[in-house]
Amino acid sequence: MKRLLVGGAGGTPSNNFIQSIRESSEKLFIVGMTSDPYDLCKANVERRHLIPNAKEKDYYLILEDIIRENKPEFIHVQNDFEVLAISKFRNRLKKMNVITCLPKHESVENCINKLKSWEIWEKSEIEVPKSLIINNEHDLKEAFKNLGNTIWIRSIKGAAGNGALPTSNADFAKSWIDYFDGWGKFMAAEYLSPTSVTWMSLWDEEGSNGMGFPVKCVLYGQLFLFFIQSQLHKILKDFLLT
């Protein structure tokens, strides 16, 4: 039986992951952990643990205790800051025989910074929405001037739509950034379609494009190409290769 440790257990992204991976033919023992006690009770797992927020200094000490008690073979986390924390401790986790399936740490840092990832993709001539950092009100005016009547503003770091919204009102945009103390921490982007797709991948080999995109992802003898994170959890089946 394979043993997995899943961060953010009980939250929607982790619940989707758990539902999806249970569609595999493997027998799984899933241990859930989160810093949110209200989410924890919603996790479809065999064992539950509360853990400090990934930014807190005791996070890794508690994580080590959870690993020693449960002996997971693989850890999967969702929150950007938890991904960063796990990436920093990957060598210590490897010594505890825990697989992380993450690209190199530099790639992780680039991926969780929306401005850095945008700059890398643009430099690589990948088609991306026009974007700019908002350091001051002048930058905000330039955003409306150059990106369109409606722009997408959001925090450079953070997940789950942190500070993100579309707006066509410059005064509201200023108030929004003021509220989040976001000058120099927010970016504006060209507003595209309201239809969007979130995707995630499990990593085994780094790609060759500087961001470490997955070439293949091996987990317990099964090959995962990638899967779309979706409420339709059975979609994972379509991407399981034997």
PDB file of all heavy atoms in Angstrom, residues 2-7 17 21 28-31 33 67 71-77 86 93 96-102 201-203 217-220 224 227:
ATOM      1  N   LYS A   2       0.599   2.174  -0.908  1.00  0.00           N
ATOM      2  CA  LYS A   2       1.361   3.404  -1.003  1.00  0.00           C
ATOM      3  C   LYS A   2       0.856   4.416   0.028  1.00  0.00           C
ATOM      4  O   LYS A   2      -0.334   4.534   0.272  1.00  0.00           O
ATOM      5  CB  LYS A   2       1.234   4.006  -2.409  1.00  0.00           C
ATOM      6  CG  LYS A   2       1.587   3.038  -3.531  1.00  0.00           C
ATOM      7  CD  LYS A   2       2.986   2.498  -3.399  1.00  0.00           C
ATOM      8  CE  LYS A   2       3.324   1.579  -4.563  1.00  0.00           C
ATOM      9  NZ  LYS A   2       4.660   0.982  -4.422  1.00  0.00           N
ATOM     10  N   ARG A   3       1.813   5.150   0.606  1.00  0.00           N
ATOM     11  CA  ARG A   3       1.471   6.119   1.642  1.00  0.00           C
ATOM     12  C   ARG A   3       1.813   7.526   1.153  1.00  0.00           C
ATOM     13  O   ARG A   3       2.952   7.798   0.769  1.00  0.00           O
ATOM     14  CB  ARG A   3       2.218   5.795   2.944  1.00  0.00           C
ATOM     15  CG  ARG A   3       1.921   4.404   3.469  1.00  0.00           C
ATOM     16  CD  ARG A   3       2.722   4.101   4.737  1.00  0.00           C
ATOM     17  NE  ARG A   3       2.238   4.849   5.888  1.00  0.00           N
ATOM     18  CZ  ARG A   3       1.283   4.422   6.712  1.00  0.00           C
ATOM     19  NH1 ARG A   3       0.687   3.256   6.484  1.00  0.00           N
ATOM     20  NH2 ARG A   3       0.920   5.145   7.752  1.00  0.00           N
ATOM     21  N   LEU A   4       0.799   8.396   1.150  1.00  0.00           N
ATOM     22  CA  LEU A   4       0.940   9.764   0.663  1.00  0.00           C
ATOM     23  C   LEU A   4       0.649  10.752   1.780  1.00  0.00           C
ATOM     24  O   LEU A   4      -0.221  10.515   2.622  1.00  0.00           O
ATOM     25  CB  LEU A   4      -0.038  10.048  -0.476  1.00  0.00           C
ATOM     26  CG  LEU A   4       0.275   9.544  -1.887  1.00  0.00           C
ATOM     27  CD1 LEU A   4       0.241   8.028  -1.955  1.00  0.00           C
ATOM     28  CD2 LEU A   4      -0.702  10.143  -2.878  1.00  0.00           C
ATOM     29  N   LEU A   5       1.346  11.874   1.759  1.00  0.00           N
ATOM     30  CA  LEU A   5       1.078  12.981   2.669  1.00  0.00           C
ATOM     31  C   LEU A   5       0.639  14.172   1.817  1.00  0.00           C
ATOM     32  O   LEU A   5       1.352  14.588   0.901  1.00  0.00           O
ATOM     33  CB  LEU A   5       2.332  13.340   3.471  1.00  0.00           C
ATOM     34  CG  LEU A   5       2.241  14.540   4.425  1.00  0.00           C
ATOM     35  CD1 LEU A   5       1.133  14.346   5.450  1.00  0.00           C
ATOM     36  CD2 LEU A   5       3.587  14.774   5.109  1.00  0.00           C
ATOM     37  N   VAL A   6      -0.541  14.704   2.102  1.00  0.00           N
ATOM     38  CA  VAL A   6      -1.118  15.775   1.289  1.00  0.00           C
ATOM     39  C   VAL A   6      -1.318  17.031   2.135  1.00  0.00           C
ATOM     40  O   VAL A   6      -1.995  16.987   3.173  1.00  0.00           O
ATOM     41  CB  VAL A   6      -2.464  15.345   0.676  1.00  0.00           C
ATOM     42  CG1 VAL A   6      -3.076  16.494  -0.130  1.00  0.00           C
ATOM     43  CG2 VAL A   6      -2.282  14.111  -0.209  1.00  0.00           C
ATOM     44  N   GLY A   7      -0.731  18.141   1.712  1.00  0.00           N
ATOM     45  CA  GLY A   7      -0.891  19.417   2.403  1.00  0.00           C
ATOM     46  C   GLY A   7      -2.164  20.120   1.977  1.00  0.00           C
ATOM     47  O   GLY A   7      -2.729  19.852   0.914  1.00  0.00           O
ATOM     48  N   PHE A  17      -7.382  16.798  -5.762  1.00  0.00           N
ATOM     49  CA  PHE A  17      -6.227  15.920  -5.954  1.00  0.00           C
ATOM     50  C   PHE A  17      -6.480  14.544  -5.331  1.00  0.00           C
ATOM     51  O   PHE A  17      -6.222  13.505  -5.952  1.00  0.00           O
ATOM     52  CB  PHE A  17      -4.986  16.559  -5.333  1.00  0.00           C
ATOM     53  CG  PHE A  17      -3.791  15.641  -5.282  1.00  0.00           C
ATOM     54  CD1 PHE A  17      -3.024  15.429  -6.418  1.00  0.00           C
ATOM     55  CD2 PHE A  17      -3.448  14.981  -4.111  1.00  0.00           C
ATOM     56  CE1 PHE A  17      -1.930  14.578  -6.376  1.00  0.00           C
ATOM     57  CE2 PHE A  17      -2.362  14.129  -4.062  1.00  0.00           C
ATOM     58  CZ  PHE A  17      -1.600  13.932  -5.200  1.00  0.00           C
ATOM     59  N   ILE A  21      -6.590  11.051  -7.374  1.00  0.00           N
ATOM     60  CA  ILE A  21      -5.594  10.004  -7.211  1.00  0.00           C
ATOM     61  C   ILE A  21      -6.211   8.706  -6.681  1.00  0.00           C
ATOM     62  O   ILE A  21      -5.701   7.619  -6.912  1.00  0.00           O
ATOM     63  CB  ILE A  21      -4.423  10.490  -6.327  1.00  0.00           C
ATOM     64  CG1 ILE A  21      -3.161   9.696  -6.652  1.00  0.00           C
ATOM     65  CG2 ILE A  21      -4.769  10.417  -4.841  1.00  0.00           C
ATOM     66  CD1 ILE A  21      -1.899  10.321  -6.142  1.00  0.00           C
ATOM     67  N   LEU A  28      -4.110   3.068  -1.548  1.00  0.00           N
ATOM     68  CA  LEU A  28      -3.452   4.238  -0.978  1.00  0.00           C
ATOM     69  C   LEU A  28      -3.838   4.457   0.477  1.00  0.00           C
ATOM     70  O   LEU A  28      -4.988   4.267   0.868  1.00  0.00           O
ATOM     71  CB  LEU A  28      -3.824   5.492  -1.781  1.00  0.00           C
ATOM     72  CG  LEU A  28      -3.518   5.466  -3.278  1.00  0.00           C
ATOM     73  CD1 LEU A  28      -4.152   6.676  -3.953  1.00  0.00           C
ATOM     74  CD2 LEU A  28      -2.022   5.459  -3.515  1.00  0.00           C
ATOM     75  N   PHE A  29      -2.863   4.880   1.263  1.00  0.00           N
ATOM     76  CA  PHE A  29      -3.094   5.362   2.620  1.00  0.00           C
ATOM     77  C   PHE A  29      -2.705   6.834   2.598  1.00  0.00           C
ATOM     78  O   PHE A  29      -1.527   7.167   2.472  1.00  0.00           O
ATOM     79  CB  PHE A  29      -2.246   4.591   3.632  1.00  0.00           C
ATOM     80  CG  PHE A  29      -2.529   4.951   5.063  1.00  0.00           C
ATOM     81  CD1 PHE A  29      -3.437   4.210   5.814  1.00  0.00           C
ATOM     82  CD2 PHE A  29      -1.895   6.035   5.664  1.00  0.00           C
ATOM     83  CE1 PHE A  29      -3.704   4.537   7.143  1.00  0.00           C
ATOM     84  CE2 PHE A  29      -2.157   6.370   6.989  1.00  0.00           C
ATOM     85  CZ  PHE A  29      -3.063   5.619   7.724  1.00  0.00           C
ATOM     86  N   ILE A  30      -3.709   7.708   2.684  1.00  0.00           N
ATOM     87  CA  ILE A  30      -3.459   9.139   2.531  1.00  0.00           C
ATOM     88  C   ILE A  30      -3.536   9.830   3.892  1.00  0.00           C
ATOM     89  O   ILE A  30      -4.522   9.697   4.618  1.00  0.00           O
ATOM     90  CB  ILE A  30      -4.457   9.780   1.552  1.00  0.00           C
ATOM     91  CG1 ILE A  30      -4.358   9.082   0.182  1.00  0.00           C
ATOM     92  CG2 ILE A  30      -4.182  11.272   1.406  1.00  0.00           C
ATOM     93  CD1 ILE A  30      -5.324   9.629  -0.849  1.00  0.00           C
ATOM     94  N   VAL A  31      -2.482  10.562   4.189  1.00  0.00           N
ATOM     95  CA  VAL A  31      -2.415  11.362   5.414  1.00  0.00           C
ATOM     96  C   VAL A  31      -2.605  12.819   5.022  1.00  0.00           C
ATOM     97  O   VAL A  31      -1.943  13.326   4.115  1.00  0.00           O
ATOM     98  CB  VAL A  31      -1.057  11.179   6.116  1.00  0.00           C
ATOM     99  CG1 VAL A  31      -0.997  12.020   7.393  1.00  0.00           C
ATOM    100  CG2 VAL A  31      -0.802   9.712   6.420  1.00  0.00           C
ATOM    101  N   MET A  33      -2.771  16.957   6.029  1.00  0.00           N
ATOM    102  CA  MET A  33      -2.317  17.959   7.004  1.00  0.00           C
ATOM    103  C   MET A  33      -2.703  19.337   6.509  1.00  0.00           C
ATOM    104  O   MET A  33      -2.774  19.600   5.303  1.00  0.00           O
ATOM    105  CB  MET A  33      -0.803  17.875   7.213  1.00  0.00           C
ATOM    106  CG  MET A  33       0.023  18.211   5.988  1.00  0.00           C
ATOM    107  SD  MET A  33       1.808  18.143   6.340  1.00  0.00           S
ATOM    108  CE  MET A  33       2.466  18.793   4.793  1.00  0.00           C
ATOM    109  N   ILE A  67       5.967  13.044   9.495  1.00  0.00           N
ATOM    110  CA  ILE A  67       6.608  12.076   8.600  1.00  0.00           C
ATOM    111  C   ILE A  67       7.104  10.865   9.381  1.00  0.00           C
ATOM    112  O   ILE A  67       6.918   9.715   8.954  1.00  0.00           O
ATOM    113  CB  ILE A  67       7.755  12.750   7.822  1.00  0.00           C
ATOM    114  CG1 ILE A  67       7.179  13.743   6.810  1.00  0.00           C
ATOM    115  CG2 ILE A  67       8.611  11.702   7.107  1.00  0.00           C
ATOM    116  CD1 ILE A  67       8.225  14.601   6.127  1.00  0.00           C
ATOM    117  N   LYS A  71       5.296   7.823   7.996  1.00  0.00           N
ATOM    118  CA  LYS A  71       6.182   7.240   6.992  1.00  0.00           C
ATOM    119  C   LYS A  71       5.630   7.318   5.566  1.00  0.00           C
ATOM    120  O   LYS A  71       5.535   6.295   4.863  1.00  0.00           O
ATOM    121  CB  LYS A  71       6.502   5.781   7.359  1.00  0.00           C
ATOM    122  CG  LYS A  71       7.263   5.653   8.673  1.00  0.00           C
ATOM    123  CD  LYS A  71       7.542   4.215   9.033  1.00  0.00           C
ATOM    124  CE  LYS A  71       8.438   4.114  10.243  1.00  0.00           C
ATOM    125  NZ  LYS A  71       7.922   4.833  11.421  1.00  0.00           N
ATOM    126  N   PRO A  72       5.263   8.513   5.102  1.00  0.00           N
ATOM    127  CA  PRO A  72       4.792   8.641   3.725  1.00  0.00           C
ATOM    128  C   PRO A  72       5.943   8.471   2.739  1.00  0.00           C
ATOM    129  O   PRO A  72       7.095   8.789   3.043  1.00  0.00           O
ATOM    130  CB  PRO A  72       4.242  10.068   3.677  1.00  0.00           C
ATOM    131  CG  PRO A  72       5.072  10.805   4.682  1.00  0.00           C
ATOM    132  CD  PRO A  72       5.315   9.820   5.798  1.00  0.00           C
ATOM    133  N   GLU A  73       5.613   7.985   1.547  1.00  0.00           N
ATOM    134  CA  GLU A  73       6.612   7.844   0.492  1.00  0.00           C
ATOM    135  C   GLU A  73       6.653   9.076  -0.404  1.00  0.00           C
ATOM    136  O   GLU A  73       7.639   9.311  -1.103  1.00  0.00           O
ATOM    137  CB  GLU A  73       6.292   6.616  -0.356  1.00  0.00           C
ATOM    138  CG  GLU A  73       6.258   5.315   0.441  1.00  0.00           C
ATOM    139  CD  GLU A  73       5.568   4.210  -0.327  1.00  0.00           C
ATOM    140  OE1 GLU A  73       6.144   3.768  -1.345  1.00  0.00           O
ATOM    141  OE2 GLU A  73       4.469   3.803   0.075  1.00  0.00           O
ATOM    142  N   PHE A  74       5.561   9.835  -0.391  1.00  0.00           N
ATOM    143  CA  PHE A  74       5.429  10.963  -1.305  1.00  0.00           C
ATOM    144  C   PHE A  74       4.659  12.080  -0.616  1.00  0.00           C
ATOM    145  O   PHE A  74       3.699  11.814   0.110  1.00  0.00           O
ATOM    146  CB  PHE A  74       4.690  10.505  -2.572  1.00  0.00           C
ATOM    147  CG  PHE A  74       4.292  11.612  -3.506  1.00  0.00           C
ATOM    148  CD1 PHE A  74       5.253  12.308  -4.234  1.00  0.00           C
ATOM    149  CD2 PHE A  74       2.960  11.954  -3.675  1.00  0.00           C
ATOM    150  CE1 PHE A  74       4.884  13.327  -5.097  1.00  0.00           C
ATOM    151  CE2 PHE A  74       2.576  12.970  -4.544  1.00  0.00           C
ATOM    152  CZ  PHE A  74       3.546  13.663  -5.258  1.00  0.00           C
ATOM    153  N   ILE A  75       5.089  13.324  -0.835  1.00  0.00           N
ATOM    154  CA  ILE A  75       4.377  14.471  -0.278  1.00  0.00           C
ATOM    155  C   ILE A  75       3.915  15.377  -1.411  1.00  0.00           C
ATOM    156  O   ILE A  75       4.668  15.662  -2.350  1.00  0.00           O
ATOM    157  CB  ILE A  75       5.252  15.264   0.723  1.00  0.00           C
ATOM    158  CG1 ILE A  75       4.453  16.419   1.340  1.00  0.00           C
ATOM    159  CG2 ILE A  75       6.534  15.773   0.080  1.00  0.00           C
ATOM    160  CD1 ILE A  75       5.164  17.086   2.517  1.00  0.00           C
ATOM    161  N   HIS A  76       2.663  15.797  -1.329  1.00  0.00           N
ATOM    162  CA  HIS A  76       2.084  16.701  -2.323  1.00  0.00           C
ATOM    163  C   HIS A  76       1.421  17.853  -1.587  1.00  0.00           C
ATOM    164  O   HIS A  76       0.555  17.635  -0.734  1.00  0.00           O
ATOM    165  CB  HIS A  76       1.042  15.970  -3.170  1.00  0.00           C
ATOM    166  CG  HIS A  76       0.309  16.875  -4.115  1.00  0.00           C
ATOM    167  ND1 HIS A  76       0.872  17.306  -5.295  1.00  0.00           N
ATOM    168  CD2 HIS A  76      -0.921  17.441  -4.048  1.00  0.00           C
ATOM    169  CE1 HIS A  76       0.003  18.091  -5.923  1.00  0.00           C
ATOM    170  NE2 HIS A  76      -1.088  18.196  -5.190  1.00  0.00           N
ATOM    171  N   VAL A  77       1.838  19.092  -1.899  1.00  0.00           N
ATOM    172  CA  VAL A  77       1.257  20.264  -1.250  1.00  0.00           C
ATOM    173  C   VAL A  77       0.717  21.209  -2.317  1.00  0.00           C
ATOM    174  O   VAL A  77       1.130  21.165  -3.478  1.00  0.00           O
ATOM    175  CB  VAL A  77       2.273  20.988  -0.346  1.00  0.00           C
ATOM    176  CG1 VAL A  77       2.677  20.095   0.814  1.00  0.00           C
ATOM    177  CG2 VAL A  77       3.506  21.418  -1.135  1.00  0.00           C
ATOM    178  N   ILE A  86       8.518  23.293   1.169  1.00  0.00           N
ATOM    179  CA  ILE A  86       8.894  21.907   0.874  1.00  0.00           C
ATOM    180  C   ILE A  86      10.106  21.878  -0.049  1.00  0.00           C
ATOM    181  O   ILE A  86      11.019  21.061   0.111  1.00  0.00           O
ATOM    182  CB  ILE A  86       7.710  21.153   0.231  1.00  0.00           C
ATOM    183  CG1 ILE A  86       6.583  20.971   1.241  1.00  0.00           C
ATOM    184  CG2 ILE A  86       8.155  19.801  -0.313  1.00  0.00           C
ATOM    185  CD1 ILE A  86       6.958  20.174   2.467  1.00  0.00           C
ATOM    186  N   LEU A  93      14.060  16.071   3.283  1.00  0.00           N
ATOM    187  CA  LEU A  93      12.971  15.127   3.025  1.00  0.00           C
ATOM    188  C   LEU A  93      13.486  13.890   2.299  1.00  0.00           C
ATOM    189  O   LEU A  93      13.039  12.769   2.566  1.00  0.00           O
ATOM    190  CB  LEU A  93      11.874  15.803   2.204  1.00  0.00           C
ATOM    191  CG  LEU A  93      11.085  16.888   2.935  1.00  0.00           C
ATOM    192  CD1 LEU A  93      10.197  17.654   1.953  1.00  0.00           C
ATOM    193  CD2 LEU A  93      10.232  16.288   4.044  1.00  0.00           C
ATOM    194  N   MET A  96      14.759  11.417   4.501  1.00  0.00           N
ATOM    195  CA  MET A  96      13.688  10.717   5.211  1.00  0.00           C
ATOM    196  C   MET A  96      12.893   9.813   4.263  1.00  0.00           C
ATOM    197  O   MET A  96      11.837   9.312   4.611  1.00  0.00           O
ATOM    198  CB  MET A  96      12.757  11.727   5.884  1.00  0.00           C
ATOM    199  CG  MET A  96      13.450  12.607   6.910  1.00  0.00           C
ATOM    200  SD  MET A  96      12.323  13.795   7.711  1.00  0.00           S
ATOM    201  CE  MET A  96      11.469  12.701   8.861  1.00  0.00           C
ATOM    202  N   ASN A  97      13.446   9.655   3.037  1.00  0.00           N
ATOM    203  CA  ASN A  97      12.844   8.775   2.023  1.00  0.00           C
ATOM    204  C   ASN A  97      11.462   9.255   1.577  1.00  0.00           C
ATOM    205  O   ASN A  97      10.563   8.444   1.340  1.00  0.00           O
ATOM    206  CB  ASN A  97      12.760   7.334   2.534  1.00  0.00           C
ATOM    207  CG  ASN A  97      14.136   6.757   2.855  1.00  0.00           C
ATOM    208  OD1 ASN A  97      15.067   6.884   2.060  1.00  0.00           O
ATOM    209  ND2 ASN A  97      14.261   6.145   4.030  1.00  0.00           N
ATOM    210  N   VAL A  98      11.314  10.572   1.465  1.00  0.00           N
ATOM    211  CA  VAL A  98      10.058  11.160   1.001  1.00  0.00           C
ATOM    212  C   VAL A  98      10.296  11.803  -0.369  1.00  0.00           C
ATOM    213  O   VAL A  98      11.171  12.656  -0.516  1.00  0.00           O
ATOM    214  CB  VAL A  98       9.517  12.218   1.977  1.00  0.00           C
ATOM    215  CG1 VAL A  98       8.208  12.804   1.455  1.00  0.00           C
ATOM    216  CG2 VAL A  98       9.306  11.603   3.355  1.00  0.00           C
ATOM    217  N   ILE A  99       9.509  11.397  -1.354  1.00  0.00           N
ATOM    218  CA  ILE A  99       9.592  11.939  -2.700  1.00  0.00           C
ATOM    219  C   ILE A  99       8.817  13.261  -2.751  1.00  0.00           C
ATOM    220  O   ILE A  99       7.719  13.367  -2.210  1.00  0.00           O
ATOM    221  CB  ILE A  99       8.994  10.954  -3.721  1.00  0.00           C
ATOM    222  CG1 ILE A  99       9.764   9.629  -3.710  1.00  0.00           C
ATOM    223  CG2 ILE A  99       8.990  11.544  -5.123  1.00  0.00           C
ATOM    224  CD1 ILE A  99       9.055   8.519  -4.474  1.00  0.00           C
ATOM    225  N   THR A 100       9.391  14.267  -3.428  1.00  0.00           N
ATOM    226  CA  THR A 100       8.705  15.554  -3.572  1.00  0.00           C
ATOM    227  C   THR A 100       8.220  15.806  -5.002  1.00  0.00           C
ATOM    228  O   THR A 100       7.263  16.548  -5.212  1.00  0.00           O
ATOM    229  CB  THR A 100       9.616  16.722  -3.162  1.00  0.00           C
ATOM    230  OG1 THR A 100      10.792  16.706  -3.982  1.00  0.00           O
ATOM    231  CG2 THR A 100      10.010  16.603  -1.687  1.00  0.00           C
ATOM    232  N   CYS A 101       8.886  15.253  -5.994  1.00  0.00           N
ATOM    233  CA  CYS A 101       8.506  15.469  -7.400  1.00  0.00           C
ATOM    234  C   CYS A 101       8.429  16.949  -7.756  1.00  0.00           C
ATOM    235  O   CYS A 101       7.466  17.404  -8.377  1.00  0.00           O
ATOM    236  CB  CYS A 101       7.185  14.789  -7.722  1.00  0.00           C
ATOM    237  SG  CYS A 101       7.308  13.014  -7.962  1.00  0.00           S
ATOM    238  N   LEU A 102       9.435  17.707  -7.346  1.00  0.00           N
ATOM    239  CA  LEU A 102       9.482  19.134  -7.668  1.00  0.00           C
ATOM    240  C   LEU A 102      10.636  19.423  -8.627  1.00  0.00           C
ATOM    241  O   LEU A 102      11.651  18.723  -8.615  1.00  0.00           O
ATOM    242  CB  LEU A 102       9.675  19.962  -6.395  1.00  0.00           C
ATOM    243  CG  LEU A 102       8.498  20.019  -5.422  1.00  0.00           C
ATOM    244  CD1 LEU A 102       8.920  20.732  -4.143  1.00  0.00           C
ATOM    245  CD2 LEU A 102       7.309  20.728  -6.058  1.00  0.00           C
ATOM    246  N   SER A 201       1.010  19.603 -12.169  1.00  0.00           N
ATOM    247  CA  SER A 201       1.744  18.454 -12.675  1.00  0.00           C
ATOM    248  C   SER A 201       2.610  17.868 -11.577  1.00  0.00           C
ATOM    249  O   SER A 201       2.989  18.555 -10.630  1.00  0.00           O
ATOM    250  CB  SER A 201       2.616  18.864 -13.867  1.00  0.00           C
ATOM    251  OG  SER A 201       3.494  19.908 -13.498  1.00  0.00           O
ATOM    252  N   LEU A 202       2.915  16.602 -11.691  1.00  0.00           N
ATOM    253  CA  LEU A 202       3.851  15.926 -10.798  1.00  0.00           C
ATOM    254  C   LEU A 202       5.155  15.773 -11.566  1.00  0.00           C
ATOM    255  O   LEU A 202       5.150  15.373 -12.719  1.00  0.00           O
ATOM    256  CB  LEU A 202       3.305  14.556 -10.381  1.00  0.00           C
ATOM    257  CG  LEU A 202       1.956  14.594  -9.665  1.00  0.00           C
ATOM    258  CD1 LEU A 202       1.441  13.188  -9.420  1.00  0.00           C
ATOM    259  CD2 LEU A 202       2.082  15.334  -8.349  1.00  0.00           C
ATOM    260  N   TRP A 203       6.276  16.077 -10.912  1.00  0.00           N
ATOM    261  CA  TRP A 203       7.543  16.226 -11.620  1.00  0.00           C
ATOM    262  C   TRP A 203       8.506  15.078 -11.321  1.00  0.00           C
ATOM    263  O   TRP A 203       8.633  14.643 -10.194  1.00  0.00           O
ATOM    264  CB  TRP A 203       8.220  17.519 -11.194  1.00  0.00           C
ATOM    265  CG  TRP A 203       7.364  18.726 -11.353  1.00  0.00           C
ATOM    266  CD1 TRP A 203       6.303  19.086 -10.554  1.00  0.00           C
ATOM    267  CD2 TRP A 203       7.460  19.717 -12.353  1.00  0.00           C
ATOM    268  NE1 TRP A 203       5.749  20.249 -11.006  1.00  0.00           N
ATOM    269  CE2 TRP A 203       6.442  20.663 -12.105  1.00  0.00           C
ATOM    270  CE3 TRP A 203       8.315  19.917 -13.433  1.00  0.00           C
ATOM    271  CZ2 TRP A 203       6.262  21.791 -12.898  1.00  0.00           C
ATOM    272  CZ3 TRP A 203       8.131  21.043 -14.220  1.00  0.00           C
ATOM    273  CH2 TRP A 203       7.122  21.957 -13.960  1.00  0.00           C
ATOM    274  N   CYS A 217       6.572  12.246 -15.371  1.00  0.00           N
ATOM    275  CA  CYS A 217       6.338  12.250 -13.935  1.00  0.00           C
ATOM    276  C   CYS A 217       6.048  10.828 -13.504  1.00  0.00           C
ATOM    277  O   CYS A 217       5.034  10.259 -13.890  1.00  0.00           O
ATOM    278  CB  CYS A 217       5.147  13.151 -13.585  1.00  0.00           C
ATOM    279  SG  CYS A 217       5.312  14.805 -14.279  1.00  0.00           S
ATOM    280  N   VAL A 218       6.932  10.259 -12.721  1.00  0.00           N
ATOM    281  CA  VAL A 218       6.773   8.877 -12.320  1.00  0.00           C
ATOM    282  C   VAL A 218       6.392   8.817 -10.843  1.00  0.00           C
ATOM    283  O   VAL A 218       7.052   9.401 -10.005  1.00  0.00           O
ATOM    284  CB  VAL A 218       8.075   8.075 -12.538  1.00  0.00           C
ATOM    285  CG1 VAL A 218       7.894   6.639 -12.110  1.00  0.00           C
ATOM    286  CG2 VAL A 218       8.490   8.140 -14.002  1.00  0.00           C
ATOM    287  N   LEU A 219       5.303   8.153 -10.535  1.00  0.00           N
ATOM    288  CA  LEU A 219       4.850   8.021  -9.160  1.00  0.00           C
ATOM    289  C   LEU A 219       4.475   6.577  -8.909  1.00  0.00           C
ATOM    290  O   LEU A 219       3.483   6.084  -9.418  1.00  0.00           O
ATOM    291  CB  LEU A 219       3.651   8.944  -8.907  1.00  0.00           C
ATOM    292  CG  LEU A 219       2.981   8.835  -7.543  1.00  0.00           C
ATOM    293  CD1 LEU A 219       3.979   9.171  -6.441  1.00  0.00           C
ATOM    294  CD2 LEU A 219       1.780   9.751  -7.462  1.00  0.00           C
ATOM    295  N   TYR A 220       5.338   5.878  -8.138  1.00  0.00           N
ATOM    296  CA  TYR A 220       5.043   4.506  -7.747  1.00  0.00           C
ATOM    297  C   TYR A 220       4.801   3.592  -8.944  1.00  0.00           C
ATOM    298  O   TYR A 220       3.904   2.767  -8.949  1.00  0.00           O
ATOM    299  CB  TYR A 220       3.831   4.452  -6.826  1.00  0.00           C
ATOM    300  CG  TYR A 220       3.887   5.451  -5.706  1.00  0.00           C
ATOM    301  CD1 TYR A 220       2.773   6.157  -5.314  1.00  0.00           C
ATOM    302  CD2 TYR A 220       5.094   5.710  -5.048  1.00  0.00           C
ATOM    303  CE1 TYR A 220       2.844   7.087  -4.295  1.00  0.00           C
ATOM    304  CE2 TYR A 220       5.167   6.630  -4.042  1.00  0.00           C
ATOM    305  CZ  TYR A 220       4.045   7.311  -3.660  1.00  0.00           C
ATOM    306  OH  TYR A 220       4.109   8.234  -2.659  1.00  0.00           O
ATOM    307  N   PHE A 224       2.373   9.533 -14.875  1.00  0.00           N
ATOM    308  CA  PHE A 224       1.379  10.596 -14.978  1.00  0.00           C
ATOM    309  C   PHE A 224       1.921  11.628 -15.973  1.00  0.00           C
ATOM    310  O   PHE A 224       2.963  12.211 -15.720  1.00  0.00           O
ATOM    311  CB  PHE A 224       1.192  11.308 -13.632  1.00  0.00           C
ATOM    312  CG  PHE A 224       0.463  10.511 -12.603  1.00  0.00           C
ATOM    313  CD1 PHE A 224       1.043   9.394 -12.050  1.00  0.00           C
ATOM    314  CD2 PHE A 224      -0.790  10.900 -12.171  1.00  0.00           C
ATOM    315  CE1 PHE A 224       0.384   8.663 -11.081  1.00  0.00           C
ATOM    316  CE2 PHE A 224      -1.451  10.177 -11.193  1.00  0.00           C
ATOM    317  CZ  PHE A 224      -0.861   9.061 -10.651  1.00  0.00           C
ATOM    318  N   PHE A 227      -2.361  16.282 -15.281  1.00  0.00           N
ATOM    319  CA  PHE A 227      -3.805  16.271 -15.183  1.00  0.00           C
ATOM    320  C   PHE A 227      -4.342  17.674 -14.915  1.00  0.00           C
ATOM    321  O   PHE A 227      -3.693  18.502 -14.331  1.00  0.00           O
ATOM    322  CB  PHE A 227      -4.332  15.297 -14.130  1.00  0.00           C
ATOM    323  CG  PHE A 227      -4.005  15.634 -12.706  1.00  0.00           C
ATOM    324  CD1 PHE A 227      -4.784  16.505 -11.982  1.00  0.00           C
ATOM    325  CD2 PHE A 227      -2.917  15.038 -12.082  1.00  0.00           C
ATOM    326  CE1 PHE A 227      -4.502  16.782 -10.666  1.00  0.00           C
ATOM    327  CE2 PHE A 227      -2.624  15.323 -10.772  1.00  0.00           C
ATOM    328  CZ  PHE A 227      -3.408  16.192 -10.057  1.00  0.00           C
TER     329      PHE A 227
END
